[in-house]
Amino acid sequence: MTTVIDLDRETVAAGLADGSLVLVDVREPHEFAAGHIPGSVSLPLSSFDPGDLAAYEGRRIVFSCAAGVRSVQALMLSQAAGLDLSEHYRGGFKDWILSGGPVEG
């Protein structure tokens, strides 16, 4: 059974600001390079390996993509690998941009 918890921009921004979460951007490298949420890390869905998340063990991992579809796919892959993860940024990068959030890249 897949558990998906949708987070909004305010929750993601607060977690990034206080360092309590790691925002894992699963968009492709060219998308990430063109612009990304400051502080996010790139782990593209096309080569996604849940084992790579071990580098962030002990921190709250939240997935993000362009609009919230690929982030759920990464979440499902992580849960299938036995990881206790359930959060993603509903709306993703598009929501961030439309809300006027800062962008790097």
Side-chain angles (χ1 to χ4, degrees), residues 5-91:
I5 298 172
D6 296 332
L7 299 182
D8 60 18
R9 186 187 61 80
E10 291 78 15
T11 303
V12 170
L16 286 169
D18 69 15
S20 65
L21 69 77
V22 175
L23 189 64
V24 176
D25 189 327
V26 298
R27 296 177 303 147
E28 293 308 304
H30 70 278
E31 293 174 282
F32 189 83
H36 56 272
I37 297 169
S40 61
V41 297
S42 177
L43 292 177
L45 186 62
S46 61
S47 59
F48 184 73
D49 178 354
D52 292 339
L53 297 172
Y56 309 106
E57 191 172 347
R59 295 184 62 198
R60 179 180 179 191
I61 295 172
V62 175
F63 293 99
S64 178
C65 62
V69 175
R70 288 175 283 180
S71 56
V72 171
Q73 293 173 328
L75 198 51
M76 291 172 22
L77 289 168
S78 299
Q79 290 177 358
L83 299 176
D84 185 19
L85 301 174
S86 58
E87 297 177 311
H88 86 118
Y89 177 12
R90 179 194 71 231

